[in-house]
Amino acid sequence: MGGRLILGFDTSAAHCAAALVCGGQLVASRVEAMDKGQAERLLPLIEDVLGEGGAGWHDLDTLAVGTGPGNFTGVRIAVAAARGLALALGRPAIGVTTLRALAFGHPGPVLAVMDARRDQAYAQAFTDGMPASAALIPAGDLPEGASPNRPRLLVGDLAPLYAERYGWPMAALARPLAEAIALVAGGDDAAAAPRPAPFYLRGADAAPPSDPPP
């Protein structure tokens, strides 16, 4: 294979996904829908992808992982796996946010919008590939700095809501999520990224027990 061999994977939503890219080209990928069980399935799925691509763990040059926002537990599963693999293999691990992966491959002004539940949205604007700050906002609202009079290409699962409200165009993902994560990690600016960490825009849903301790 010519070029850097990059493994991208993600468990930030109800799926387990991995993709292997080399020189900017897809080598192999798999996506499995699942509401739970990602912790048990992730490494076997990655091994399936490596086998399909004719590669082994030590052939990898870089690990790329989706850091959210998304499912709290799912994000932690993938990030922990990336850190462990990076340590074991002696390879760099790069974190890529879901919003950046959604916007990947779309030139010009882009607005990535994801359903955050509770009538809220995760949103981030990109101009010439440069991101504004990501935000948690009421679903249908625009993040700070995005004007309704300046159309942006909409990507993400809330794109239809925003298209109806603002009349802006929509686009499908340029690449599937895990593949986009790997390709973003192959960019010139990715090498200087800090080690992967969960990207949360909202606190955990867990609450302390209401009953006092014994």
Side-chain angles (χ1 to χ4, degrees):
M1 298 182 187
R4 290 167 58 201
L5 191 62
I6 303 175
L7 172 70
F9 54 93
D10 182 80
T11 58
S12 64
H15 62 242
C16 196
L20 190 65
V21 302
C22 186
Q25 300 298 315
L26 179 66
V27 177
S29 68
R30 291 201 179 187
V31 181
E32 294 181 7
M34 57 181 67
D35 292 323
K36 57 184 179 179
Q38 289 96 331
E40 295 79 14
R41 181 59 184 141
L42 178 58
L43 291 182
L45 182 98
I46 290 174
E47 289 185 327
D48 290 344
V49 170
L50 291 175
E52 184 179 336
W57 289 105
H58 289 278
D59 294 320
L60 296 173
D61 294 300
T62 304
L63 302 162
V65 61
T67 58
N71 177 275
F72 216 77
T73 300
V75 168
R76 292 202 309 270
I77 289 168
V79 169
R83 288 182 175 183
L85 288 170
L87 183 63
L89 298 173
R91 302 291 191 271
I94 295 171
V96 178
T97 71
T98 309
L99 293 161
R100 188 174 181 189
L102 291 176
F104 174 80
H106 294 294
V110 177
L111 180 64
V113 283
M114 294 172 52
D115 187 1
R117 300 185 179 180
R118 305 178 190 170
D119 293 322
Q120 292 181 306
Y122 298 122
Q124 189 169 24
F126 296 82
T127 303
D128 296 329
M130 298 301 296
S133 295
L136 177 66
I137 56 177
D141 285 5
L142 293 174
E144 185 177 353
S147 169
N149 299 318
R150 295 183 178 178
R152 289 180 176 270
L153 185 66
L154 297 164
V155 294
D157 58 359
L158 282 189
L161 170 65
Y162 280 77
E164 181 178 359
R165 179 166 296 189
Y166 300 104
W168 295 356
M170 296 186 297
L173 295 183
R175 303 287 183 96
L177 190 61
E179 183 182 350
I181 288 168
L183 291 170
V184 170
D188 293 336
D189 61 339
R195 72 173 186 162
F199 182 67
Y200 299 134
L201 291 173
R202 180 166 61 201
D205 292 331
S210 56
D211 295 333

